[in-house]
Amino acid sequence: MIKDSTSFPAMVIRENEDGTFAKSIESKQIHDLPDGEVLVEVEYSSLNYKDALSASGNRGVTKKYPHTPGIDATGTVIRSVSEKFSSGDKVIISGYDFGMNTAGGFARYIQVPSAWVMHKPQSLSAKTCMQIGTAGFTAAQSVLSIHEMGVLPSHGPILVTGATGGVGSIAVALLKGSGYTVVAATGKEEEYPWLRKLGADDFLSRRQAAIGEDRMLLRERWAGVIDTVGGSILATAIKSTKYNGTVTCCGNAASGNLPLNVYPFILRGVKLVGIDSAQCPMNRREEIWHQLATKWDMQFLDSMSTTTSLQELGGIIDQMLQGKIRGRTVVHLREDI
Ligand SMILES: NC(=O)c1ccc[n+]([C@@H]2O[C@H](COP(=O)([O-])OP(=O)(O)OC[C@H]3O[C@@H](n4cnc5c(N)ncnc54)[C@H](OP(=O)(O)O)[C@@H]3O)[C@@H](O)[C@H]2O)c1
């Protein structure tokens, strides 16, 4: 029986007196959780770039500390005052303000508004859902956008930037699973064999991906681009996109700037599509999760994901901020019992 005094472990980020931030695993109680209609026991969470920013004191993501990050969680409803959910339901919570300014999934229990909760697709395990997580959901949004904008596999290769990252690596696999030829741009040349197994047909180094940033337009190469890094790599990719091609933009791992001109748009009809997962409306969110559960073979996720505990998570967050990890990291909360 869960009581308001029931205690549980959670990662807590605190600001030190000198303005630096420290992560630790603390004991919290249910009554410490924010108000919300649904109380959930978390089985798995996952690590996303936004969590690493939140855990390092980035005020663009999290304004107030102490804070528990974690923008993804899956688990079991313990109690709900919303009729949409009952005790025992298996659910996913992801996006909106979860883990940003509302205590997130790096904790055994969470309490959230019912509008942020969706039923877990039955055919996906809790662990698979978090191997996908926000990164995989964003990759799926990007791949579906490319397709919905009319770019077909016969039109030519799709470039994926930041290809070893969570979004990039799942995008590589989903594009391959949809029949596209995939070119992976990465700063980790030692990971070419790993990316090839996921579905990459060819590679660009990070340096090659930015060649020509000072030119107005470049040779038409890509039928589409899934960009996760921004900056001059995104600008170069847009200038190299074929007539009527589509470029999706979801991230800023390299830069939030876009040093570009109008010519790819007014001379080649290139489309630039912004991708946002956080505020994605619930009906579209459920539709994309349905596609993830039915459209693609997601077995590749096991080969690109590692599982960690809350205790080990701090070190992995530091590695993510240094761009040193590949693929996806899931956090197993029940391991701490
Ligand atoms: N819009 C949304 O809703 C949404 C959702 C999820 C994520 N995002 C954003 O998408 C981006 C990727 O997220 P993620 O979860 O995939 O992060 P991630 O796992 O940390 O991957 C980011 C990848 O970007 C590349 N990279 C890192 N630093 C770089 C630099 N200085 N220059 C060029 N490339 C660099 C690295 O790949 P290589 O070594 O292979 O080049 C790295 O693995 C982040 O900016 C994140 O905030 C946005």
Side-chain angles (χ1 to χ4, degrees):
M1 176 71 179
I2 304 295
K3 298 189 205 132
D4 274 2
S5 58
T6 300
S7 52
F8 60 91
M11 175 176 278
V12 179
I13 312 300
R14 291 184 181 276
E15 185 168 11
N16 298 319
E17 279 181 8
D18 63 0
T20 59
F21 289 80
K23 331 176 206 19
S24 60
I25 308 306
E26 298 185 7
S27 180
K28 278 175 128 179
Q29 294 183 328
I30 299 291
H31 61 66
D32 295 328
L33 291 171
D35 288 344
E37 291 134 354
V38 190
L39 175 69
V40 175
E41 182 177 12
V42 179
E43 189 174 354
Y44 287 97
S45 181
S46 88
L47 177 61
N48 293 278
Y49 196 74
K50 212 184 232 178
D51 302 317
L53 294 176
S54 173
S56 56
N58 186 305
R59 302 264 183 206
V61 177
T62 300
K63 291 186 179 59
K64 277 196 194 157
Y65 294 86
H67 173 66
T68 294
I71 63 171
D72 284 330
T74 183
T76 306
V77 173
I78 299 295
R79 63 179 183 226
S80 168
V81 296
S82 156
E83 286 180 1
K84 208 176 145 198
F85 300 99
S86 308
S87 151
D89 284 0
K90 304 291 181 192
V91 292
I92 298 175
I93 300 91
S94 161
Y96 307 103
D97 192 46
F98 186 55
M100 293 179 67
N101 290 293
T102 303
F106 296 166
R108 177 89 50 74
Y109 290 94
I110 58 171
Q111 192 156 258
V112 288
S114 59
W116 299 359
V117 185
M118 58 168 272
H119 287 104
K120 180 180 78 59
Q122 274 188 358
S123 62
L124 297 177
S125 71
K127 186 173 178 181
T128 303
C129 287
M130 288 296 99
Q131 288 172 328
I132 295 169
T134 290
F137 180 82
T138 306
Q141 281 182 293
S142 307
V143 173
L144 292 170
S145 283
I146 294 266
H147 184 72
E148 286 161 5
M149 294 298 285
V151 178
L152 302 177
S154 58
H155 294 176
I158 310 293
L159 177 70
V160 178
T161 67
T164 66
V167 179
S169 53
I170 296 184
V172 166
L174 297 184
L175 284 166
K176 194 65 186 174
S178 306
Y180 292 96
T181 300
V182 186
V183 178
T186 176
K188 305 185 190 82
E189 293 178 32
E190 69 281 8
E191 300 292 359
Y192 286 0
W194 182 78
L195 284 165
R196 194 177 285 285
K197 273 195 199 138
L198 278 178
D201 298 285
D202 206 353
F203 305 93
L204 281 187
S205 69
R206 206 179 277 175
R207 187 190 60 78
Q208 288 170 320
I211 290 176
E213 59 177 308
D214 49 339
R215 303 264 302 278
M216 288 292 188
L217 278 173
L218 294 161
R219 178 169 66 85
E220 293 179 55
R221 297 177 76 180
W222 320 120
V225 177
I226 291 181
D227 179 71
T228 71
V229 303
S232 53
I233 291 179
L234 172 56
T236 303
I238 293 171
K239 290 182 213 170
S240 309
T241 298
K242 292 184 182 194
Y243 192 85
N244 248 346
T246 291
V247 178
T248 64
C249 161
C250 75
N252 58 352
S255 169
N257 291 327
L258 183 53
L260 193 58
N261 59 66
V262 299
Y263 297 110
F265 308 111
I266 67 173
L267 296 180
R268 291 182 180 163
V270 170
K271 317 288 187 294
L272 180 59
V273 178
I275 301 290
D276 168 63
S277 61
Q279 297 300 325
C280 179
M282 188 49 88
N283 55 354
R284 175 73 172 160
R285 188 178 291 276
E286 286 171 340
E287 183 194 322
I288 290 171
W289 274 101
H290 176 72
Q291 301 254 20
L292 283 160
T294 56
K295 181 179 165 83
W296 292 287
D297 179 354
M298 303 301 285
Q299 275 191 0
F300 67 86
L301 287 166
D302 283 335
S303 70
M304 57 165 298
S305 308
T306 50
T307 304
T308 192
S309 64
L310 209 47
Q311 277 69 20
E312 289 167 348
L313 181 59
I316 300 174
I317 288 174
D318 294 339
Q319 287 177 34
M320 179 174 247
L321 287 167
Q322 294 160 27
K324 284 189 182 157
I325 63 172
R326 68 174 197 194
R328 297 278 297 142
T329 302
V330 297
V331 189
H332 194 192
L333 275 305
R334 302 281 290 273
E335 236 178 38
D336 304 304
I337 291 171

